[in-house]
Amino acid sequence: MTDDPSGERGRTSTAAAPLTRTIRSTLDRLRVFDRRRPRVWDVAVTAFWAVAAVLDYTSGGWRTVARDVTAPEPLVLLMSLWFSLPLLWRRTHPMTVLLLSAPVSLVNIWTGAVVQAALFQLIPVFHIALRRSLRTLGTAALVFCAPLLAGAVGIPGIWGQQAVSYVWGLVFVALLGIAVRTRREYTEALVERAHRLEHERDQQARLAAAAERTRIAREMHDIIGHNLSVITGLADGGSYAAAKSPERAAQALEAIGTTSRQALSELRRLLGVLREDHPDADRAPQPALDDLLPLIDHVRRAGLPVTLDLHNDPGQPHTEPTPGRQLTVYRVIQESLTNTLKHAGPPSDAPLSAMVALTHTPTHIEATITDSGAGTPRDVTRTLGQGIMGMRERAALYNGTIEAGPLPDHGGWRVHLRLPLEDRPQ
């Protein structure tokens, strides 16, 4: 048979895990109790060390290490209590506790009693290393060692018998306090960073949700606004033609039904993507430049004559616009034609028409939409409306610009879009 070291290590790790969790859980409960009732914890710890010092005195254990076993017993008891009782303030005033213990420590050395409770001075030293500055820790080390140095001067051999062990204890406790302090500060830094990252994550989520709400509002405005404007134009034209040409009225009603179904389909698609319980919702591609001809045909059926003029530089290579830029151009043209249908005047006005000019250069794509409206106060409504604002927001996403306003020489309205083909500041 052969040994299975890996299996043995696995069993050892599995067996150690519950013990580790138990110790960690116990320490966590002690920390919680300490935070809630610090005074109770201080009294309990002080009482523990005081009882230990008194037991050392009553059992005569101090005589096993004393240099002079004839030291007065009342003095030994008094020194034992003096070293232990001030520990009640070990966390709030550790330097004061150490200063109070220094004279007693000198008496302890000079009498030769060597009370073991003198080692309790290392407890306030630990708290100084844990919470105070290094300068304070150096002062505490001098206060701790001063009685030992004074005793070494007057008592031959005490340095080798007692002082060396006290110094090593001081070094160990100081390093332990510094290590615990470093780990605590590191843990607090990690917790603070986790809280900060969580706050930034929540903030980013809120910003993303706000941006998504804005995008959805723009899409719904463009879809619903455009199709309702087309339906309104078809209804007006159908009612006008009903008396003279019933066939044209029937065609208008059919176009109204087609437009309504198309609007409902696009709206269902947009809302279906938002629903979490429909992961397989229809995610049809967004409109692009290839969809301009169906859009213009759609507007023409609503009663607005539209001319499409395409300009390309044949001598230069062209960069295909990204899908986002194509959608922006499409929505700007759609919104401009929708505004013409809604605001350019009633059917009784002079004949109304629109022209769309699309220019594609190696660095930019430009769209100019003009109409022959009357240039009435509807201009103010169009300038302040949500449509112009939405167009500017779409163009700003790609460092583009929108210019919208009445034509200077005659009635009408002009919208000019200019989009760079690359993501760079303009």
Side-chain angles (χ1 to χ4, degrees):
M1 295 180 62
T2 59
D3 294 336
D4 184 7
S6 61
E8 185 66 27
R9 285 196 300 269
R11 288 192 296 271
T12 303
S13 177
T14 303
L19 178 60
T20 304
R21 286 195 297 267
T22 302
I23 295 174
R24 185 182 298 118
S25 176
T26 303
L27 291 176
D28 290 339
R29 285 195 293 269
L30 289 176
R31 293 191 188 98
V32 171
F33 180 81
D34 185 22
R35 285 194 296 268
R36 292 179 177 176
R37 298 177 177 84
R39 181 56 60 184
V40 174
W41 180 255
D42 288 340
V43 170
V45 172
T46 302
F48 173 81
W49 292 118
V51 170
V54 172
L55 289 177
D56 181 65
Y57 162 75
T58 57
S59 64
W62 63 277
R63 290 188 174 89
T64 59
V65 294
R67 289 184 297 102
D68 185 2
V69 296
T70 63
E73 292 188 359
L75 179 62
V76 173
L77 177 60
L78 179 62
M79 290 190 297
S80 299
L81 294 176
W82 193 275
F83 282 126
S84 57
L85 293 180
L87 294 179
L88 183 64
W89 299 278
R90 71 193 184 281
R91 292 193 291 188
T92 56
H93 302 87
M95 185 56 102
T96 303
V97 173
L98 196 61
L99 289 173
L100 289 175
S101 302
V104 184
S105 179
L106 180 61
V107 173
N108 182 45
I109 293 173
W110 277 87
T111 58
V114 192
V115 175
Q116 297 300 302
L119 294 175
F120 292 169
Q121 297 175 95
L122 295 176
I123 297 177
V125 171
F126 172 80
H127 287 281
I128 291 173
L130 188 63
R131 296 183 176 88
R132 300 295 193 270
S133 64
L134 290 178
R135 178 178 297 180
T136 305
L137 179 61
T139 303
L142 291 177
V143 172
F144 180 83
C145 294
L148 298 176
L149 296 176
V153 173
I155 304 175
I158 190 176
W159 186 258
Q161 297 176 1
Q162 186 176 358
V164 174
S165 61
Y166 272 49
V167 171
W168 277 113
L170 173 66
V171 173
F172 174 77
V173 169
L175 292 177
L176 179 62
I178 293 174
V180 174
R181 177 178 184 170
T182 303
R183 180 175 177 82
R184 179 179 296 178
E185 291 175 351
Y186 177 72
T187 303
E188 291 175 353
L190 289 180
V191 172
E192 181 182 358
R193 181 183 179 187
H195 288 322
R196 186 172 64 253
L197 291 176
E198 183 178 0
H199 177 72
E200 293 176 356
R201 181 200 63 190
D202 294 341
Q203 187 176 23
Q204 291 295 330
R206 287 192 295 269
L207 293 175
E212 186 66 10
R213 284 194 298 267
T214 303
R215 185 190 70 82
I216 293 170
R218 277 199 305 263
E219 292 295 325
M220 294 186 68
H221 173 273
D222 292 341
I223 293 172
I224 297 175
H226 169 74
N227 287 285
L228 286 180
S229 298
V230 171
I231 291 172
T232 302
L234 290 170
D236 292 341
S239 64
Y240 180 78
K244 297 182 179 181
S245 177
E247 295 181 357
R248 295 289 301 275
Q251 292 176 0
L253 291 175
E254 182 181 354
I256 288 174
T258 302
T259 303
S260 300
R261 285 189 291 272
Q262 180 182 351
L264 286 175
S265 177
E266 292 186 13
L267 190 58
R268 287 195 188 99
R269 176 177 60 81
L270 180 63
L271 297 179
V273 173
L274 301 177
R275 298 185 60 181
E276 297 180 356
D277 55 344
H278 284 75
D280 298 327
D282 182 19
R283 290 174 171 82
Q286 292 278 26
L289 296 181
D290 294 338
D291 299 304
L292 284 178
L293 289 178
L295 171 66
I296 291 176
D297 290 339
H298 198 209
V299 176
R300 286 170 180 165
R301 288 198 299 271
L304 176 63
V306 182
T307 302
L308 178 62
D309 191 4
L310 300 177
H311 298 279
N312 290 320
D313 188 354
Q316 297 291 337
H318 297 101
T319 302
E320 184 71 15
T322 61
R325 288 176 170 82
Q326 294 191 42
L327 175 62
T328 299
V329 175
Y330 179 92
R331 292 301 188 197
V332 168
I333 295 175
Q334 181 188 51
E335 179 63 24
S336 300
L337 296 177
T338 301
N339 285 340
T340 299
L341 285 171
K342 291 194 297 183
H343 303 295
S348 60
D349 286 351
L352 180 65
S353 63
M355 184 179 70
V356 177
L358 190 62
T359 304
H360 195 177
T361 70
T363 59
H364 292 78
I365 184 169
E366 300 182 12
T368 304
I369 306 95
T370 57
D371 64 52
S372 59
T376 61
R378 52 100 178 189
D379 299 341
V380 178
T381 303
R382 289 170 65 177
T383 303
L384 299 178
Q386 295 296 323
I388 296 295
M389 184 183 300
M391 287 191 286
R392 289 195 173 114
E393 290 175 351
R394 287 183 182 276
L397 290 175
Y398 301 100
N399 298 318
T401 58
I402 282 284
E403 297 176 1
L407 294 174
D409 298 332
H410 53 80
W413 191 268
R414 175 180 180 271
V415 175
H416 179 72
L417 167 68
R418 189 172 190 268
L419 278 184
L421 296 180
E422 296 182 359
D423 294 325
R424 59 185 180 186
Q426 296 298 310

